[in-house]
Amino acid sequence: MDKINKTNAARLLDRAKVAYRLIPYTVDPDNLAAEHVAEELGEDISRVFKTLVLYGEKAGHFVCVIPGNMEVDLKKAAKAAGAKKAEMVPMKELLPLTGYIRGGCSPIGMKKGFPTFFHSTALDGEEIFVSAGIRGLQLGMTPQDLIDFCRATVTDIAIPK
């Protein structure tokens, strides 16, 4: 097996002595959906979380981490962030804002520390999967460790697709 190069997110977890697994998967550039990632990992889609960056009026930028089989509820997300309304950040702003590209956005190691919110189902399982910061690599770890590391709030921010 090829050596997996550690991402910035993995190095930050190492530094904090937080346990995790790095899991490579095959990227389909035409299908960056969480469903594809879950299929590649052989994991339940409800445990493979996607990281979304939003902007809220008066709240600024914030991050929502939700299960792959759900979509962010903009009203609930805005409320969680203390904003009147919120919208997804345009794709072209993602890289300069976070340091990550679509399909490789991790809640760990963004350029700035943004308020982060995990959907309430994050704590439902023993392991949660999020991007390791590049396409083709996921982090698997205990939900509480991830939430604590991100200094995140757990709340209801998503609705079924």
Side-chain angles (χ1 to χ4, degrees), residues 102-129:
R102 178 172 173 254
C105 192
S106 178
I108 299 169
M110 290 190 185
K111 283 183 175 180
K112 287 187 189 140
F114 297 113
T116 302
F117 303 91
F118 277 76
H119 187 259
S120 47
T121 59
L123 294 166
D124 290 354
E126 290 178 19
E127 194 170 28
I128 187 173
F129 301 90

Side-chain angles (χ1 to χ4, degrees), residues 12-76:
L12 290 168
L13 290 170
D14 285 346
R15 216 173 291 145
K17 297 184 176 22
V18 176
Y20 64 91
R21 297 190 302 140
L22 278 177
I23 309 141
Y25 68 93
T26 304
V27 178
D28 176 352
D30 298 322
N31 182 5
L32 298 173
E35 288 83 0
H36 171 73
V37 177
E39 219 171 85
E40 285 289 320
L41 297 179
E43 295 293 342
D44 188 315
I45 185 67
S46 68
R47 302 310 307 149
V48 177
F49 279 56
K50 51 192 176 183
T51 305
L52 306 171
V53 183
L54 289 82
Y55 181 80
E57 214 173 278
K58 293 192 175 119
H61 292 97
F62 62 98
V63 176
C64 290
V65 187
I66 65 170
N69 61 343
M70 299 183 99
E71 57 188 46
V72 70
D73 181 319
L74 293 174
K75 282 191 170 85
K76 289 178 180 177

Side-chain angles (χ1 to χ4, degrees), residues 139-158:
L139 287 167
M141 55 194 299
T142 67
Q144 196 62 61
D145 283 352
L146 179 59
I147 290 161
D148 291 348
F149 185 84
C150 293
R151 292 191 198 96
T153 303
V154 178
T155 186
D156 179 18
I157 51 169

